[in-house]
Amino acid sequence: MFFVELLLSVVKLLWKVLSSLLGVLFPQLVWLAETDKGQRKRTRTEAEGTSEDEEDDSEDEPLIPTSVNYHFTRQCNYKCGFCFHTAKTSFVLPLEEARRGLRLLKAAGMEKINFSGGEPFLQDRGEYVGQLVKYCKKNLCLPSVSIVSNGSLIREQWFVDYGQYLDILAISCDSFNEEVNVLIGRGHGRINHVENLRKLRKWCRDYRVAFKINSVINRFNVDEDMREHIKELNPVRWKVFQCLLIEGENVGEGALREAEKFVISNEEFQEFLDRHQEVSCLVPECNDKMKDSYLILDEYMRFLNCREGRKDPSKSILDVGVEEAIKFSGFDEEAFRKRGGKYVWSKADLNLDW
């Protein structure tokens, strides 16, 4: 019994000594860990050219919708086989509601709006998009207003009415071989897509609108040489995309397209870029650059998150505001900057020979 009591006394004494040591050492260990963390943070911010305060502030700052792509309609008169924003609904917001959403975006920091679809000129024969373009430039005073269109429904009168409010018109053209365009689905036989492209180029020059071309590189045009055609048309930018699969849109359950046959490898895409590297206006975008570097609004003004290879919608900015909705957009501001998302996008700043 005596030995048991002695052993307990020794254990208690050792515990007291250990507790005292921990009481002294633990705060020192925490201090050292925090000091090391702070030093690593300062080293990182110094290397990136930002201050510690700036980094702390940036963590709390909301995402800014500097450049927004508003797909206000899904309806289209073409049936491009790789389309990743298909006609799953026919809904279009009433004009006043669309304007309200645009006001919210401007208040949140939007500088550039791009109207797309579907085909934007299908709604009210172009009057709807014309009114939006005019509102954004005249009322909201946005630095840049642009449209992406297949060009088949644009008439010269539209330029007369709205050309002064439009900075950039981007026309989708995937091939300068009309048979390939028809094969892809960007054509219906009545209008020669390439001839129409040249007409639209002239109207852009006549009405002082910057002209841009978008091309999706896919299985049917990956071997084409477009250098001379692009140089002749001389767009301010030639955006060259790699064919992209989006679950529920052009592949998988519920999809309205079967785009697998259009897909090319990264190596094939790079070979196309290498062939056209002398074209100064070429702006390439592979799939990795596209997924999280765009802010996309659908027809309900919901941000679409494409990070998981599908389009997961946020709540509408009309219901919860821009700051809340944009949290679920999957948008990566650094990726946006790295892909050159911010460029000279106002025609007032473009030194063009009209």
Side-chain angles (χ1 to χ4, degrees):
M1 192 69 176
F2 171 78
F3 291 106
V4 172
E5 292 177 355
L6 180 62
L7 184 60
L8 287 173
S9 298
V10 172
V11 169
K12 288 179 181 179
L13 180 62
L14 288 172
W15 176 249
K16 286 182 180 180
V17 174
L18 183 61
S19 297
S20 299
L21 287 171
L22 286 173
V24 173
L25 291 175
F26 185 75
Q28 297 299 317
L29 290 171
V30 171
W31 179 82
L32 285 170
E34 290 299 320
T35 301
D36 181 62
K37 179 181 178 182
Q39 180 62 43
R40 284 185 282 111
K41 185 176 181 181
R42 281 191 294 275
T43 301
R44 186 175 70 251
T45 54
E46 286 170 3
E48 294 173 351
T50 58
S51 71
E52 208 172 320
D53 291 338
E54 287 174 339
E55 183 168 302
D56 286 340
D57 292 342
S58 67
E59 290 177 0
D60 298 325
E61 290 177 358
L63 289 170
I64 298 175
T66 306
S67 177
V68 177
N69 296 274
Y70 177 24
H71 295 249
F72 66 82
T73 179
R74 284 177 171 266
Q75 299 298 300
C76 188
N77 60 326
Y78 281 2
K79 296 185 182 298
C80 301
F82 48 71
C83 179
F84 53 79
H85 199 73
T86 54
K88 306 193 81 168
T89 77
S90 59
F91 180 81
V92 176
L93 275 173
L95 192 59
E96 283 308 310
E97 279 294 274
R99 285 172 173 159
R100 180 166 73 89
L102 292 167
R103 288 195 298 272
L104 292 173
L105 289 163
K106 169 64 187 299
M110 179 175 69
E111 298 176 18
K112 181 181 187 295
I113 184 73
N114 178 53
F115 296 107
S116 188
E119 172 49 48
F121 285 84
L122 197 59
Q123 183 69 22
D124 299 332
R125 297 186 176 182
E127 282 299 305
Y128 185 93
V129 71
Q131 288 295 318
L132 291 181
V133 163
K134 182 177 179 179
Y135 182 75
C136 285
K137 183 60 74 172
K138 187 175 181 180
N139 297 82
L140 300 183
C141 301
L142 291 183
S144 183
V145 182
S146 66
I147 299 174
V148 174
S149 167
N150 64 39
S152 65
L153 302 174
I154 305 176
R155 302 293 176 261
E156 186 174 7
Q157 185 60 44
W158 192 93
F159 285 93
V160 174
D161 297 337
Y162 301 110
Q164 63 183 304
Y165 308 111
L166 184 65
D167 289 277
I168 302 171
L169 175 64
I171 301 298
S172 299
C173 180
D174 304 314
S175 176
F176 290 91
N177 182 333
E178 191 61 19
E179 292 180 359
V180 174
N181 281 321
V182 173
L183 186 63
I184 288 171
R186 202 180 290 286
H188 44 58
R190 295 195 299 274
I191 298 175
N192 184 294
H193 193 74
V194 178
E195 290 179 4
N196 195 54
L197 183 70
R198 292 191 171 93
K199 180 174 64 176
L200 290 165
R201 176 68 181 96
K202 179 181 182 302
W203 286 344
C204 282
R205 184 183 291 112
D206 293 345
Y207 294 94
R208 307 175 76 86
V209 174
F211 180 71
K212 177 183 172 185
I213 296 176
N214 287 354
S215 300
V216 177
I217 308 308
N218 60 84
R219 178 57 52 209
F220 298 99
N221 65 3
V222 68
D223 295 321
E224 190 170 336
D225 187 340
M226 305 182 187
R227 285 175 291 184
E228 294 307 314
H229 297 286
I230 296 296
K231 289 177 183 178
E232 173 199 344
L233 291 160
N234 192 28
V236 294
R237 282 165 76 84
W238 179 32
K239 187 69 78 71
V240 175
F241 301 96
Q242 183 180 1
C243 182
L244 177 66
L245 296 180
I246 295 291
E247 186 75 22
E249 294 282 354
N250 60 14
V251 67
E253 186 177 353
L256 299 184
R257 298 286 188 273
E258 296 178 356
E260 293 98 326
K261 66 181 180 181
F262 291 89
V263 173
I264 58 173
S265 67
N266 293 339
E267 291 74 20
E268 288 174 308
F269 183 63
Q270 187 59 52
E271 286 176 7
F272 181 91
L273 298 179
D274 292 342
R275 190 183 317 127
H276 294 85
Q277 61 182 336
E278 68 187 65
V279 181
S280 60
C281 60
L282 187 152
V283 180
E285 286 193 12
C286 63
N287 289 345
D288 291 338
K289 285 186 178 181
M290 291 174 60
K291 285 183 180 178
D292 52 7
S293 65
Y294 281 87
L295 272 176
I296 301 175
L297 279 180
D298 71 1
E299 63 273 24
Y300 302 101
M301 284 200 158
R302 303 177 301 185
F303 287 111
L304 298 178
N305 186 328
C306 300
R307 283 194 167 185
E308 300 301 322
R310 56 182 183 271
K311 290 184 173 179
D312 298 322
S314 69
K315 292 182 179 179
S316 174
I317 66 171
L318 298 171
D319 296 328
V320 300
V322 176
E323 185 174 340
E324 181 64 25
I326 203 172
K327 293 176 183 177
F328 302 93
S329 66
F331 180 60
D332 186 332
E333 284 185 304
E334 184 178 355
F336 168 74
R337 291 191 296 271
K338 283 184 176 179
R339 73 164 172 84
K342 186 68 181 289
Y343 57 95
V344 181
W345 53 31
S346 171
K347 66 181 178 183
D349 299 325
L350 287 166
N351 187 22
L352 298 177
D353 181 10
W354 300 108

